[in-house]
Amino acid sequence: MLSFLVLGPMEVRTHDRTVTFKGPIQQTLLAMFLCSGEKLITVNALIEELWGTTPPATVENALQANISRLRRTLARLEPRRQESRLATRTSGYQFNLERAELDAAKMLETVDSIRARAGNYRRRDVADLREVLALWRGPVFGGLTGGPICQAAVAKYDEYRTAALVMLYEAELAGGEHAKIVPELRELVTENSSQECFSSLLMIALYRSGRQTDALTVARQLRTNLIDELGIEPSPAVQDLERAILNHDIRMRQENTELPWLSYRSGRAA
């Protein structure tokens, strides 16, 4: 069984080596097959993904040549495999992929499973989330732009990563690990200066660590970033959280793990 990695630079791993694909056409071709699972991809969709509105004059030949090249590369990695991973169908091509072979599939399944558990297994959730977040090695597909199929996959995987991060730190807060996660949340806030979810989590963690002033500083910086970058004020939920911190709202007490700003226990983290 091969391991296909897309949560970072694209790699294919066997038991004894790692292979990378060179050239944007081969990379895009593999990326779109991997993110489509075993769905049939039509010839027209492949052409649009690879060449957009400016395909080469002999586009069918070019597509077939690149399909054959990808087949040969994969076949060399699995010399004992009897059937090609890439099957030709009447109207397109279908990639033979087990979900366990793709790192992104594991991330999606983990997040969905934890949502379904609705916070009933906090320690297990934390362990599972940290394990799956460790799969993330950089921009999806190594920063490959691709076409509509790849772009939709990038957006989906990015959203799931954000959901996993939010669920992880909400679960840590629910377990009283506020001081432990402050450094990690600071790094996330620095990297995502206008995302309210990470700033809100950092504000709660700081307040519960006895650092009210620092928590309010985060709130003020978030407001500045939102106004400067997006021209908007913080959401009503963030403004309510800031007031709660300023007024030492009873809901902010450490032992109260079901704050209205958190959704982990209800399985709604997103």
Side-chain angles (χ1 to χ4, degrees):
M1 186 174 73
L2 300 180
S3 293
F4 296 93
L5 309 182
V6 300
L7 302 180
M10 278 200 301
E11 298 177 353
V12 181
R13 295 180 183 175
T14 68
H15 69 284
D16 61 353
R17 60 175 169 153
T18 298
V19 176
T20 58
F21 285 71
K22 297 180 180 179
I25 296 296
Q26 284 290 293
Q27 290 176 353
T28 302
L29 194 59
L30 177 61
M32 69 185 302
F33 279 124
L34 292 176
C35 67
S36 299
E38 291 191 298
K39 294 180 181 178
L40 174 71
I41 303 182
T42 66
V43 169
N44 288 337
L46 284 164
I47 292 173
E48 179 182 4
E49 191 80 11
L50 294 172
W51 292 287
T53 58
T54 56
T58 57
V59 65
E60 291 83 3
N61 292 336
L63 177 60
Q64 290 176 5
N66 278 283
I67 290 287
S68 296
R69 181 182 172 190
L70 178 59
R71 276 201 183 109
R72 289 194 301 269
T73 301
L74 293 171
R76 285 195 295 269
L77 297 177
E78 297 179 292
R80 297 182 181 179
R81 188 182 183 93
Q82 296 182 350
E83 296 181 355
S84 173
R85 278 190 177 266
L86 192 48
T88 302
R89 304 302 183 202
T90 302
S91 58
Y93 297 89
Q94 190 171 18
F95 196 80
N96 189 340
L97 178 70
E98 300 290 336
R99 293 184 65 82
E101 296 176 316
L102 180 64
D103 58 353
K106 181 176 181 180
M107 180 182 68
L108 301 184
E109 290 176 354
T110 298
V111 170
D112 288 340
S113 294
I114 292 173
R115 282 172 171 159
R117 297 202 290 257
N120 294 320
Y121 303 92
R122 191 194 68 81
R123 290 184 180 179
R124 177 183 171 188
D125 291 350
V126 168
D128 288 350
L129 286 165
R130 287 200 175 275
E131 179 183 357
V132 80
L133 284 166
L135 298 175
W136 198 274
R137 298 170 295 112
V140 177
F141 303 137
L144 180 74
T145 302
I149 294 176
C150 288
Q151 291 167 15
V154 168
K156 181 177 181 178
Y157 297 160
D158 282 340
E159 289 172 2
Y160 265 75
R161 180 182 183 241
T162 297
L165 287 165
V166 170
M167 286 194 290
L168 170 63
Y169 293 116
E170 289 191 349
E172 295 278 33
L173 284 172
E177 301 287 350
H178 39 270
K180 166 188 168 184
I181 63 176
V182 165
E184 297 175 16
L185 284 170
R186 278 202 181 281
E187 184 175 348
L188 280 172
V189 169
T190 299
E191 296 172 355
N192 306 271
S193 59
S194 60
Q195 281 197 254
E196 292 187 341
C197 56
F198 298 132
S199 290
S200 297
L201 289 164
L202 178 57
M203 290 160 62
I204 296 171
L206 286 168
Y207 182 82
R208 288 184 169 183
S209 300
R211 300 167 62 180
Q212 180 197 34
T213 300
D214 289 342
L216 293 172
T217 298
V218 172
R220 288 193 293 271
Q221 186 60 57
L222 174 62
R223 175 176 286 103
T224 298
N225 293 339
L226 287 172
I227 292 174
D228 290 347
E229 298 174 20
L230 303 175
I232 60 174
E233 290 281 343
S235 67
V238 172
Q239 295 181 43
D240 182 42
L241 174 59
E242 182 180 7
R243 284 191 296 270
I245 291 173
L246 181 63
N247 298 326
H248 296 284
D249 192 309
I250 192 172
R251 294 174 296 173
M252 295 299 300
R253 290 183 306 180
Q254 179 176 331
E255 62 269 20
N256 182 356
T257 59
E258 296 189 43
L259 296 174
W261 304 280
L262 305 184
S263 54
Y264 162 73
R265 285 184 176 273
S266 67
R268 293 181 292 103

